[in-house]
């Protein structure tokens, strides 16, 4: 096929709710369409966010490839990639590497990039020595290896057995225009709460590594132990996000158990976060593993004081007592103290939020996409 500009194919399991998918959408929205063409391929199903990609005028292709290592499925996938005829295939994380890179090589694609977004153990490391070696070899033979943070780069350099310089760090970003142009929203009125009610929010998809159960326990501690400031209504805790049914049921059960002490509400996914987050008095993220958390960047952009876990990928963005209050993972009591302190000391909360808003100016999706294109 003859074309005037190179075609980059982003390869992912599905365009579902998630940090990887958010990054794909945000970078494609600001991509240099004069110099590059783009497409997305999903090897599970298109996913609920696929229309957001198509709205950008970028095609989304789906070729179900399960199990990802099956020779017949890989041949079918390679045929689908050959029809698209990309000049470069950009593959996101394990377990996408085996189907994406293998099929791209079979299809004759000349350039491959592998992108790591997490410090999780690779999918196959504990399941199959053969698949683990296969994935590692495919990664090492890629033209470039990218990580979203220094923490992710260090983790995967150790796993691959390569020098850290072999991996390029390209951080996530925020869309500043989306936040500055967001319409105002009175979230308290929407929830039927008095105007002076403190709001504490946690934004994340439902997943065991997000440790949402720690937020629920911390909420109960804040109210039960009187850590919230007196003279105001008790804080209301909002869990914003969604995910698998088993996690939803678990969190609903924990919320019911905490109900005698704290008002905790699972309010589901919100597409209007730029309007929602400025209503929060405190933004929380209590994950035990992150890559480059978009939630932290979004809190910073919205001017929300942050209480989060002290893990490297978060601490590389915000410092304890500098832009946020950080506590060790899996410590609901420590998290509760941070939340209580930010609710009670509004001067401190404002100082941290102001510093964070200044720091986040270094993060933007335009810069991220420019580095991808380079």
């Amino acid at each position: 096929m003859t074309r005037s500009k190179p075609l980059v194919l982003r390869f992912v399991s599905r365009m579902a709710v998630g940090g990887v998918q958010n990054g794909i959408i945000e970078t494609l929205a600001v991509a240099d369409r004069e110099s590059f063409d783009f497409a997305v391929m999903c090897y599970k199903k298109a996913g609920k966010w696929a229309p957001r990609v198509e709205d950008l005028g970028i095609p989304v292709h789906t070729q179900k490839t399960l199990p990802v290592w099956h020779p017949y499925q890989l041949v079918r996938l390679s045929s689908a990639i050959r029809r698209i005829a990309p000049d470069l295939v950009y593959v996101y994380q394990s377990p996408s590497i085996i189907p994406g890179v293998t099929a791209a090589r079979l299809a004759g694609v000349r350039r491959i990039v592998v992108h790591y977004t997490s410090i999780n153990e690779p999918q196959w490391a504990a399941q199959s020595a053969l698949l683990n070696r296969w994935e590692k070899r495919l990664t090492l033979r890629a033209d470039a290896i990218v990580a979203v943070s220094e923490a992710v780069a260090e983790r995967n350099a150790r796993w691959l057995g390569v020098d850290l310089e072999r991996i390029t760090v390209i951080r996530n970003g925020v869309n500043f225009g989306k936040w500055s142009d967001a319409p105002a929203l009175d979230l308290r009125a929407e929830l039927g709460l008095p105007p002076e009610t403190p709001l504490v929010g946690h934004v994340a998809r439902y997943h065991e590594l997000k440790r949402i159960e720690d937020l629920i326990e911390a909420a109960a501690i804040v109210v039960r132990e009187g850590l919230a400031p007196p003279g105001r209504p008790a804080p209301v805790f909002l869990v914003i996000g969604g995910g698998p049914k088993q996690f939803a049921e678990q969190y609903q059960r924990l919320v019911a158990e905490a109900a005698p002490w704290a008002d905790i509400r699972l309010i589901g996914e919100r597409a209007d976060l730029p309007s929602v987050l400025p209503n929060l008095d405190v933004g929380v993220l209590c994950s035990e593993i992150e890559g480059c958390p978009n939630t932290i960047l979004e809190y910073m952009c919205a001017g929300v004081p942050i209480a989060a876990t002290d893990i490297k990928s978060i601490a590389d963005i915000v410092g304890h007592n500098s832009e946020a209050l950080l506590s060790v993972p899996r410590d609901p009591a420590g998290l509760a103290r941070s939340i209580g302190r930010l609710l009670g000391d509004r001067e401190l909360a404002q100082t941290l939020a102001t510093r964070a808003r200044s720091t986040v100016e270094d993060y933007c999706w335009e810069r991220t996409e420019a580095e991808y294109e380079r």
Side-chain angles (χ1 to χ4, degrees), residues 242-266:
K245 182 178 179 180
Q246 69 268 25
F247 290 119
E249 292 174 345
Q250 175 191 354
Y251 302 147
Q252 288 166 356
R253 184 176 65 254
L254 292 174
V255 166
E257 293 172 357
W261 296 283
D263 185 347
I264 307 167
R265 305 187 185 190
L266 306 178

Side-chain angles (χ1 to χ4, degrees), residues 74-336:
L74 292 173
V75 169
R76 292 178 68 240
L77 179 59
S78 70
S79 296
I81 292 176
R82 188 177 294 110
R83 289 192 295 271
I84 300 169
D87 297 279
L88 182 147
V89 172
Y90 202 104
V91 181
Y92 289 85
Q93 191 96 351
S94 175
S96 303
I97 294 168
I98 287 178
V101 179
T102 302
R105 292 300 191 198
L106 290 173
V109 178
R110 296 181 56 215
R111 295 287 180 255
I112 306 289
V113 174
V114 171
H115 189 124
Y116 285 102
T117 64
S118 173
I119 61 173
N120 290 1
E121 187 76 7
Q123 168 102 8
W124 310 113
Q127 297 183 29
S128 168
L130 176 62
L131 294 177
N132 188 51
R133 289 196 299 271
W134 184 2
E135 182 172 273
K136 184 179 293 188
R137 176 164 295 191
L138 291 170
T139 303
L140 290 171
R141 293 185 176 182
D143 295 273
I145 306 170
V146 174
V148 295
S149 68
E150 287 79 4
V152 173
E154 291 169 7
R155 166 67 185 82
N156 287 288
R158 289 195 300 271
W159 175 64
L160 293 167
V162 299
D163 291 337
L164 193 58
E165 290 72 22
R166 174 77 167 83
I167 302 177
T168 301
V169 175
I170 303 178
R171 299 176 182 175
N172 289 339
V174 288
N175 182 334
F176 293 110
K178 182 186 296 185
W179 292 84
S180 60
D181 298 338
L185 170 71
D186 188 341
L187 186 59
R188 290 169 179 81
E190 178 184 310
L191 298 173
L193 299 171
E196 64 275 14
T197 304
L199 293 181
V200 178
H202 184 282
V203 180
R205 62 189 174 95
Y206 292 174
H207 192 281
E208 59 188 358
L209 296 177
K210 301 297 183 180
R211 298 296 303 174
I212 294 173
E213 58 268 40
D214 292 346
L215 178 277
I216 295 171
E217 184 174 348
I221 294 172
V222 167
V223 180
R224 187 174 64 238
E225 299 189 5
L227 301 180
R232 297 180 66 190
V236 173
F237 297 81
L238 307 177
V239 178
I240 305 170
K245 182 178 179 180
Q246 69 268 25
F247 290 119
E249 292 174 345
Q250 175 191 354
Y251 302 147
Q252 288 166 356
R253 184 176 65 254
L254 292 174
V255 166
E257 293 172 357
W261 296 283
D263 185 347
I264 307 167
R265 305 187 185 190
L266 306 178
I267 65 171
E269 299 172 11
R270 297 287 301 230
D272 57 345
L273 286 179
S275 297
V276 168
L277 295 193
N279 289 271
L280 301 181
D281 293 271
V282 180
V284 180
L285 188 65
C286 42
S287 305
E288 59 182 348
I289 290 178
E290 286 285 351
C292 181
N294 291 314
T295 294
I296 293 294
L297 298 176
E298 290 169 348
Y299 288 154
M300 296 167 75
C301 198
V304 179
I306 299 168
T309 41
D310 191 2
I311 57 178
K312 181 171 174 53
S313 54
I314 293 178
D316 283 347
I317 301 173
V318 291
H320 177 59
N321 273 329
S322 178
E323 293 92 3
L325 296 183
L326 305 180
S327 55
V328 299
R330 290 177 174 258
D331 179 15
L335 181 64

Side-chain angles (χ1 to χ4, degrees), residues 3 59-61 153 176 178 189 221 234 271 363 372:
R3 59 167 63 95
V60 177
H61 306 272
F176 293 110
K178 182 186 296 185
I221 294 172
Y363 295 80
Y372 288 161

Side-chain angles (χ1 to χ4, degrees), residues 40-51:
V40 173
M41 170 165 273
C42 304
Y43 70 89
K44 287 187 177 179
K45 58 183 179 180
K48 65 187 298 183
W49 277 4

